[in-house]
Each structure stands twice: as structure tokens, then as C-alpha cells.
Amino acid sequence: MSHEIELKLALPKSALPALRRHPLVAGAEKLGNAVTLDNTYYDTPELQLKARKVAVRTRRQGRIWLQTVKCAAVSSGGLSQRPEWEQPYSGSFDFSQVDVPDAAKLLARHAEALVPVFTTRFRRETRRFNPRDGVSILLMIDQGEVCVTTPDGTERQAPICELELELEQGQPGDLFALACELAQTLPLMPADISKAERGYRLFLGTPLAAARAEASTLEAGQNVVEAFRSLAFACVRQWQANAAAALSIEDADAIPPDFIHQLRVALRRLRALIKLFAPALPAEFAGQWNARLRDNANRFGDARDLDVFYTELLEPVATEGLADPASHAALLQAVARARELARHDAGKALDMATQGRMLLEFSTELLRLPSGSLVAAADLRTFARLRMARLRKRARRQFDAAATLEPTRLHALRIGFKQLRYGIEFFAPLFPPKAVARYQEGLVRAQGTLGFLQDVDIARGRLFAWSATNPALQVAAAFVLGWHAPRYARLRRRVLHDCEPLLWGKAPW
């Protein structure tokens, strides 16, 4: 068994000439001529190998046939590490070399039932990069396609265009260092989805879906910096998955709003995580990435605000024949235009080169974080209690300041509750599950109430601004605000009463 450690980077076909001309690529040792690789992936008709995250593949390169078995990989920022077994293939499968018991039993049980599921065919150029003694990296440029014929005879294809960096000698950080250097001038996006996974998605016709935040998997025995790193990589996976999915859609105006929303959620969670673990992190790292992630999220903020305005504040309004039809129609048209423009701007702001470079640079710095300080070596559960207590203390101050019910003060309190919610989500495995669940439910309710008040306040500012430049909207704007006014007033009166137990009551930590 060997362990494959590789960093996969997607790039547009148009960038291939620039990649080949890059000094680091052009100067690397060329390993033979480009070759065509024909690969067939096998599974049972019920896809039982896929269910257990095991892949079986045959590969033909000229007259040479190989059989490869791969097990599940943990992939973050495009970097994957997985066990694999490769051997000559003579026309029948031989799984005797697989020495992971669960995988060996699975393959033995289903060996006779394996059938071809999909194929990949691509042209591979291979070079070896040796930046210094003890470091050797294979650079493999793959261009081709994944091909599937479904049981009903439907044929599907998807392009392959990627650069794989495979570690022969050195550390995973050496792969990221090379990728960061290349990404300074090339549009490279880390890719966590393997060719096998792409083939299965194509076979099943799995639609693109926005990636949600992963549940925390912290363990009490972890070093504080190790805990931060694992949580940060989970946020990176959510950021990367949504950016990559959105970038795969050629028409920027057709990007589903949820992709942009979940991308922003990932960035917000990552910023909250950095602030939460700040005492254990280098000050320069925390300050720099808090600012960079904030600026990145701001690229897409207007699109999300207008989506919320339309779907949660405008669409539910029941005119019941009371609203002025002409003014209401004009308002709907104005919001639709603003929403389309904001979505278009968000799609254009989602640049592969920018997002890919930031993902690679952040992942590189994550791997380099020092973990030898006294704070970093502190007991993780104690660290979590201290940090959650600090968040709640800050939220109490924001609660006291919000006694005036001014929108800006309530917004600050909403941010405080959001920080508390993210914090308890991150640290959840360290505390009693039932107490955590109850506290989270309360935070979600409070954040929802504060969020509605904030959405109405933002909408009011937009409506006033639009009405000032287009008087035809004034009647409809007043009607919409009036329709929400009773709920707004009711929630505003009781919001502090509902929030108070979460800040002074019993906490799960």
C-alpha cells in the first residue's frame, strides 16, 4: 500500500498555454512525452463501493494495463491524502494486496458483481519539480473528459482540465507553496472533487447544490491550534465548494443565489473562528485574514440583501386589492432590476483567479501555524469555556446598549448573538449535547428576530432612497412598510425580553 498525497487544481482550458509557459513549469524536468490515459471505473449495479468510498479503476496507457484501488480521502483546499494499491491488470481483478481489512472484505464480497460505470479519457503531460534537496513534486497536466452512458442509454460528458501536484518527497506544505507561486499569475482553483466522484455525479445526474457548513468534529484532547486548523479547513471546504460550483456555471446571471449565500456564510464563519481563537494565533495572521475575508465577503453582500428583501419582505405582502396597482407594479419592477444587477455584479466578482489564490494562500498559512506556545497547548475545553464566556460578556454589553431599541444598537446585538451561535457550533462536541441543542435553539430564535428587524430597517432605507428618485414608488413603499409594521413593532417590543435568558441564564459550557 502507498499513500497518495496530491493537490488538485482546476483551471480553464484557455489558461493551459500560460501554464506551460510559466517558468516553474517550463523549467521542470520533462518526464517523457504526453500520454493518453483510458480509465474505466467499476462498481456493483447498486454502487456499493461508492457507498463505502472505495474506488476500483483499470487504466490503459498504450499496451500497459494497471489496476488501482483507492479508499476514502480527506480533502481540504484541494489537498487529498488517501491509501491506494496499484498493480498490473491481466483481465481479471486481484485484490489480494489490499491490506485494509474493511476494504478487503468489501472487495472480496463484491468482486464478481463489478461492472463498468463510467470512463475517463485524458491526455497527461508530466514533469518533475525539484526546488531543493528533499523535495520532489510531480506536475501532471490533464486534459480530456469524463464519459457516462446511463442504464437507459443516456450519454453524458464533462470536461477535465486540471493540474495535479503529487508529492514524491517533502511535506504537504511544499505542494501549497508551489501552487501559491503558480496562482500569482494563473487562474487556479483548488479542487476537492476527484475524477471518480465527478464520474459518479455524472452517472447519477446529481444536480449542483450549495454546500452547507459541516458539523464540528472537535475532540477534547486536541491541541488548540490543531482544533482551529481542523475547523478552519471545514470552513475552507464550504467556501471552495460553493465558489467552484458557482464558477462552473458559464452564465453569471444564472448562478443560484444560495451558492453566493453559502459562500458568504463560509467566509463569515471563518472570520468568527479566527476571532474566537485569536489568543492562540499569530496577531499578524488573525489581523490580515480577518480583513481579507471581510473584503471578499463584501463583494457579494448586495446580492444577498436584495434576495432577502424580495423573498422575505416583498413577496409575502398580500395587497388584497388595497395597494395601488400601478405603484406596486413599479416597485416590483424596480426591485427586480436591482436584484438582477446585484446578481450580475456578484457573478462577475466571483473571479476564479482571486478566489483560488486566496484559498491557496489561506490553506498554506493554516499548515504553517506554530503550535508550541503555552496558549496553543492549553486544555481545549478550558479554552472553549473562557472564549464562550468572553463572547457572552460582550453580548451582555451589547444588550445593555440596545435598551434604546435603536436599529444600530439592535444590529450590534444581532452580531453578538451570531458570534455566540458560531462559537457554540464550533465547540459543540466539547459540552453536553442536550444543553448545547437547547442553547442553540434559543440563539437561532433570537438571531431570527433580530435579523427580521435588521432586514426591515435596511429595506426601509432602500425604499426611501428609491422613492426619492422615483416618486411613483412612494405609495407602494409606504404600503409594504405598513404591512410589516405590526410584526415589526411586536417583535421590537419583546426582543430584549426574549434575549435576556440566553445572556444571564444557565450556559452549556
Side-chain angles (χ1 to χ4, degrees):
M1 179 181 68
S2 64
H3 272 81
E4 178 185 62
I5 301 176
E6 66 178 18
L7 178 60
K8 192 185 300 291
L9 304 164
L11 72 161
K13 184 178 177 181
S14 59
L16 286 174
L19 173 63
R20 294 185 180 104
R21 289 194 304 267
H22 193 285
L24 294 182
V25 177
E29 176 192 2
K30 190 175 181 181
L31 301 182
N33 297 322
V35 296
T36 298
L37 301 177
D38 289 293
N39 309 278
T40 302
Y41 288 79
Y42 292 80
D43 207 328
T44 67
E46 297 79 21
L47 306 184
Q48 288 158 302
L49 299 193
K50 176 185 181 298
R52 298 282 294 276
K53 298 184 179 180
V54 173
V56 172
R57 178 192 75 197
T58 60
R59 166 171 290 175
R60 181 173 65 86
Q61 179 181 332
R63 296 182 179 180
I64 300 174
W65 283 83
L66 294 173
Q67 167 196 302
T68 305
V69 176
K70 297 187 181 186
C71 286
V74 176
S75 186
S76 298
L79 181 73
S80 63
Q81 304 184 47
R82 77 185 87 211
E84 71 168 18
W85 299 264
E86 190 166 77
Q87 64 192 72
Y89 178 70
S90 59
S92 60
F93 291 115
D94 173 11
F95 299 128
S96 60
Q97 294 186 21
V98 177
D99 53 3
V100 172
D102 288 345
K105 290 178 183 178
L106 176 73
L107 293 167
R109 186 163 60 247
H110 298 298
E112 297 300 321
L114 297 182
V115 294
V117 180
F118 58 89
T119 63
T120 64
R121 181 182 175 88
F122 53 89
R123 191 81 168 160
R124 169 168 286 180
E125 305 168 36
T126 306
R127 294 174 180 269
R128 177 175 285 120
F129 179 67
N130 299 109
R132 62 183 183 277
D133 289 344
V135 177
S136 179
I137 299 171
L138 294 180
L139 293 82
M140 294 169 285
I141 302 172
D142 294 343
Q143 184 184 357
E145 61 182 4
V146 184
C147 300
V148 165
T149 301
T150 64
D152 64 2
T154 303
E155 294 187 357
R156 299 172 182 153
Q157 294 84 31
I160 294 171
C161 189
E162 57 194 28
L163 169 67
E164 287 188 10
L165 305 180
E166 184 174 327
L167 191 66
E168 288 190 309
Q169 286 182 288
Q171 300 297 321
D174 296 318
L175 297 179
F176 277 108
L178 173 56
C180 284
E181 184 67 27
L182 295 172
Q184 296 306 307
T185 56
L186 295 166
L188 300 174
M189 170 63 71
D192 286 334
I193 300 177
S194 66
K195 294 182 180 74
E197 188 174 349
R198 293 181 65 192
Y200 278 117
R201 289 187 179 187
L202 202 61
F203 178 79
L204 296 170
T206 306
L208 286 173
R212 264 54 181 179
E214 299 176 16
S216 173
T217 57
L218 286 191
E219 297 178 2
Q222 283 181 292
N223 172 284
V224 172
V225 172
E226 291 172 354
F228 170 77
R229 188 181 287 115
S230 68
L231 291 168
F233 269 128
C235 294
V236 165
R237 286 191 289 272
Q238 185 188 11
W239 169 15
Q240 179 181 315
N242 287 295
L247 285 164
S248 71
I249 299 171
E250 293 185 7
D251 182 2
D253 296 333
I255 296 173
D258 207 25
F259 288 175
I260 300 298
H261 172 52
Q262 291 300 325
L263 187 155
R264 292 184 72 234
V265 168
L267 295 172
R268 284 203 306 265
R269 286 172 60 83
L270 200 43
R271 288 185 65 208
L273 182 67
I274 290 172
K275 293 175 183 177
L276 191 62
F277 279 79
L281 303 175
E284 184 179 356
F285 171 89
Q288 177 195 46
W289 281 105
N290 179 52
R292 291 186 67 179
L293 295 168
R294 177 201 62 212
D295 292 345
N296 195 31
N298 287 344
R299 295 165 175 259
F300 316 108
D302 210 31
R304 177 60 183 170
D305 289 346
L306 283 163
D307 281 332
V308 170
F309 174 64
Y310 183 83
T311 59
E312 298 185 22
L313 298 180
L314 190 57
E315 204 171 40
V317 172
T319 59
E320 301 293 346
L322 299 175
D324 180 88
S327 182
H328 197 72
L331 177 59
L332 288 172
Q333 188 177 20
V335 175
R337 281 199 306 266
R339 195 179 178 201
E340 288 174 6
L341 180 60
R343 283 189 181 182
H344 178 78
D345 290 344
K348 292 299 183 184
L350 192 66
D351 173 64
M352 177 181 282
T354 301
Q355 298 302 312
R357 184 163 54 249
M358 287 187 68
L359 281 160
L360 289 168
E361 290 174 352
F362 183 76
S363 298
T364 301
E365 294 193 32
L366 270 185
L367 291 174
R368 292 175 178 170
L369 284 176
S371 57
S373 69
L374 290 176
V375 174
D379 174 72
L380 181 58
R381 189 176 278 115
T382 300
F383 179 84
R385 289 192 180 108
L386 291 171
R387 297 307 290 165
M388 290 303 300
R390 187 175 186 276
L391 284 180
R392 193 157 84 148
K393 185 176 181 180
R394 182 192 300 164
R396 286 173 176 173
R397 293 196 298 269
Q398 293 163 332
F399 177 92
D400 292 338
T404 61
L405 298 181
E406 295 175 39
T408 54
R409 300 290 189 181
L410 289 173
H411 177 52
L413 180 60
R414 174 175 172 256
I415 293 174
F417 270 88
K418 186 176 290 186
Q419 298 292 324
L420 271 172
R421 179 183 171 185
Y422 288 156
I424 199 64
E425 288 175 354
F426 290 136
F427 290 134
L430 306 179
F431 305 122
K434 290 183 179 179
V436 167
R438 285 194 299 270
Y439 197 72
Q440 284 178 313
E441 289 173 5
L443 290 173
V444 169
R445 285 195 299 271
Q447 192 179 332
T449 299
L450 291 163
F452 172 77
L453 297 177
Q454 172 70 3
D455 292 340
V456 173
D457 289 328
I458 292 175
R460 180 174 55 191
R462 287 188 185 276
L463 290 170
F464 286 172
W466 288 339
S467 298
T469 58
N470 185 357
L473 304 180
Q474 290 177 357
V475 174
F479 186 92
V480 169
L481 291 173
W483 196 87
H484 287 290
R487 183 187 177 203
Y488 179 88
R490 183 175 68 255
L491 293 180
R492 189 168 177 264
R493 282 194 301 269
R494 78 182 197 202
V495 63
L496 295 183
H497 177 269
D498 292 346
C499 290
E500 190 171 6
L502 294 163
L503 299 179
W504 279 274
K506 188 175 181 180
W509 57 87

